Amino acid sequence: MEFKTVSVVGLGYIGLPTAAVFASRKRKVIGVDVNRQAVEVINRGDIHIVEPDLDMVVHAAVTEGYLRATTVPEAADAFLIAVPTPFKGDHEPDLSYIESASKAIAPVLKKGDLVILESTSPVGATEQMAAWLAEARPDLSFPQTHGEDSDIRVAHCPERVLPGHVLRELVQNDRVIGGMTAKCSEAAVRLYKIFVEGECVITNARTAEMCKLTENSFRDVNIAFANELSIICDKLDINVWELIKLANRHPRVNILQPGPGVGGHCIAVDPWFIVSKTPEEAQLIRVAREVNDSKPRWVMNKVKEAVIEFLQDNPERTEKEVTIACFGLAFKPDIDDLRESPAMIITKELAASHSGTVIVVEPNVSELPREIVGVTLVDFDRAIEIADVQLLLVDHSSFKSKIPGRGVVVDTRGIW
Ligand code: SAJ
């Protein structure tokens, strides 16, 4: 067996499912993470993140002895780095996690090993990672200096799985494989073929990096188009959802859906990696980011107008006596992930600025995060009974079949 032991560095939303899937194919997997608590949880056969069915796969992998987590890297035949690549205050990519991971695995590398960068990265990051590895291990040769004869193979193979469908998409999606040389790509294909049923398509590392950024920027630009349309239509008194449905009947038009903004950990981040490398050229991509980032503020203003409208219709009431209900907090429908969610930003802001009561309906969580202060979690029926302004933020399936209550409705998703 070529890759007997696989090490996955970074046991988050991508690394842990990937480690578990390798383990389910009976490879010995060493998961590495700096978070001691996460390591302990995984070694108990539990998970510290939310992803459908992942708990079962991890539990089986750990109890059958194929998956073990540790904070200190150990020798393996292949290393997959799946650590975060956030951006800094000025939207510059922060490669410090990749740097730490590279420096952590360098001491245990041996001739013949394969190192893969999976983290979404700016163009050039794989070469940078290889440079960090080479600096730490002058006794080994790397593709940037020794080409096909190098001791260590290096590739970039970006993950492209959709949160909520990770286990299925990991196996079924096509995989872009960007080796630093042809042999690096071939080795990476052999590794992924252990579980990938989709096609493994070979390119070079820089194209693979750009490919991932392009996919998410494509989506961001298209969502920005929909969001801008919704603002234009609001001004012109046109129902944007009817408009989009009509326009999409054209055989070559396919407009996405407007919403309260773009959330999640990828689409709102990755386009900046293109902008920061090529600021002069990436104009449309930057403006799209700005359009999507400004949408929550526009929604908040709509809610303020709705409160004023309510008070005009109910002159005996004051703002203090107006209850706003926010429907949905997750960053997209039918998940419980509240991180990087425009619905959270809007709810938090309303809780801070509105003098009356703010309530929340989020059927996918049992309690609210501590950072939302002064807001109560209620069920749907209670909310529509007491709310004066009803703000629909997430198009959860369970909201679609329901009808909003009395009062003024602000529907950012067009389902009511
Ligand atoms: N959104 C809209 N309107 C739409 C579609 C989405 O407002 O028409 C919003 C969602 O509500 C959400 C945000 O965009 O707030 C992002 O949601 P998403 O479902 O588009 O994407 P993510 O962030 O869950 O996952 C994306 C995926 N990328 C693409 O579809 C190109 C996924 O395949 C990637 O693996 C993932 O980013 C990632 O890890 O990069």
Side-chain angles (χ1 to χ4, degrees):
M1 201 192 291
E2 186 181 14
F3 297 105
K4 267 199 220 140
T5 307
V6 178
S7 179
V8 179
V9 185
L11 297 172
Y13 278 82
I14 300 303
L16 184 55
T18 305
V21 173
F22 271 116
S24 74
R25 303 301 192 268
K26 311 227 175 298
R27 291 314 191 273
K28 185 181 162 201
V29 181
I30 302 166
V32 184
D33 203 292
V34 289
N35 180 346
R36 203 171 286 277
Q37 220 183 337
V39 165
E40 281 166 19
V41 170
I42 294 163
N43 284 335
R44 282 202 304 269
D46 291 331
I47 58 174
H48 62 297
I49 55 174
V50 183
E51 179 60 37
D53 302 329
L54 181 63
D55 50 349
M56 287 182 323
V57 187
V58 169
H59 188 80
V62 173
T63 46
E64 286 168 20
Y66 288 106
L67 172 63
R68 180 169 54 82
T70 164
T71 53
V72 186
E74 296 171 19
D77 305 315
F79 292 84
L80 280 93
I81 297 187
V83 294
T85 38
F87 55 64
K88 297 183 249 180
D90 51 1
H91 295 130
E92 288 288 315
D94 175 2
L95 299 187
S96 59
Y97 295 88
I98 299 180
E99 183 175 2
S100 311
S102 312
K103 290 180 175 165
I105 62 163
V108 297
L109 282 184
K110 60 181 186 315
K111 190 175 162 107
D113 284 356
L114 168 67
V115 181
I116 291 181
L117 179 62
E118 275 214 11
S119 311
T120 303
S121 300
V123 173
T126 308
E127 291 155 13
Q128 174 64 70
M129 179 186 77
W132 281 319
L133 292 172
E135 198 182 303
R137 289 299 299 272
D139 55 317
L140 291 171
S141 63
F142 288 82
Q144 62 271 33
T145 48
H146 289 68
E148 295 296 31
D149 300 327
S150 65
D151 293 333
I152 305 293
R153 310 263 180 237
V154 179
H156 179 60
C157 308
E159 60 78 17
R160 300 146 99 198
V161 290
L162 197 64
H165 302 268
V166 168
L167 286 172
R168 178 173 51 80
E169 290 211 348
L170 262 182
V171 173
Q172 290 179 359
N173 287 4
D174 291 344
R175 195 96 204 191
V176 174
I177 309 277
M180 281 182 71
T181 66
K183 278 192 181 160
C184 294
S185 298
E186 283 160 24
V189 171
R190 289 199 299 277
L191 176 71
Y192 282 104
K193 272 295 168 196
I194 292 172
F195 68 82
V196 171
E197 288 168 12
E199 205 180 319
C200 290
V201 190
I202 290 176
T203 180
N204 57 44
R206 292 175 79 85
T207 309
E209 288 160 346
M210 189 62 181
C211 184
K212 169 65 197 249
L213 303 180
T214 300
E215 292 160 10
N216 281 350
S217 297
F218 172 84
R219 199 152 167 86
D220 197 46
V221 168
N222 281 278
I223 299 170
F225 181 75
N227 276 333
E228 185 165 292
L229 267 184
S230 73
I231 295 169
I232 294 169
C233 285
D234 182 73
K235 194 147 203 180
L236 300 179
D237 203 17
I238 291 167
N239 179 326
V240 70
W241 286 279
E242 185 197 358
L243 173 83
I244 290 174
K245 263 195 207 133
L246 292 173
N248 282 351
R249 283 176 172 252
H250 185 287
R252 285 173 297 283
V253 173
N254 188 8
I255 303 167
L256 291 179
Q257 297 301 305
V262 168
H265 330 292
C266 312
I267 295 191
V269 175
D270 301 355
W272 288 119
F273 292 178
I274 300 180
V275 175
S276 72
K277 275 265 164 205
T278 49
E280 291 292 313
E281 294 76 13
Q283 298 194 44
L284 174 65
I285 295 172
R286 188 186 50 247
V287 172
R289 257 319 35 257
E290 286 162 359
V291 167
N292 286 334
D293 272 354
S294 66
K295 194 71 193 290
R297 169 76 29 217
W298 185 84
V299 172
M300 280 178 249
N301 285 334
K302 282 280 131 198
V303 177
K304 283 198 183 119
E305 284 171 29
V307 171
I308 293 167
E309 187 186 325
F310 181 82
L311 289 173
Q312 277 164 355
D313 294 344
N314 299 271
E316 74 289 357
R317 306 266 288 271
T318 63
E319 191 191 302
K320 257 189 143 155
E321 295 160 322
V322 176
T323 297
I324 300 172
C326 300
F327 293 88
L329 274 187
F331 88 81
K332 62 182 198 172
D334 301 327
I335 60 166
D336 60 359
D337 193 346
L338 311 185
R339 299 166 312 148
E340 321 294 338
S341 166
M344 278 280 286
I345 297 174
I346 293 166
T347 305
K348 265 200 279 188
E349 274 279 325
L350 288 175
S353 62
H354 178 59
S355 61
T357 305
V358 178
I359 54 177
V360 166
V361 183
E362 179 42 82
N364 300 303
V365 302
S366 53
E367 56 182 33
L368 291 178
R370 252 175 284 160
E371 55 189 290
I372 306 193
V373 193
V375 176
T376 331
L377 185 67
V378 301
D379 67 22
F380 189 93
D381 294 337
R382 176 74 185 139
I384 55 169
E385 197 184 305
I386 60 174
D388 305 308
V389 172
Q390 325 235 7
L391 171 61
L392 190 283
L393 289 169
V394 187
D395 44 341
H396 288 313
S397 309
S398 64
F399 293 164
K400 288 188 184 160
S401 51
K402 304 230 161 130
I403 311 159
R406 63 190 176 82
V408 187
V409 173
V410 179
D411 180 356
T412 70
R413 291 290 181 180
I415 63 169
W416 285 343

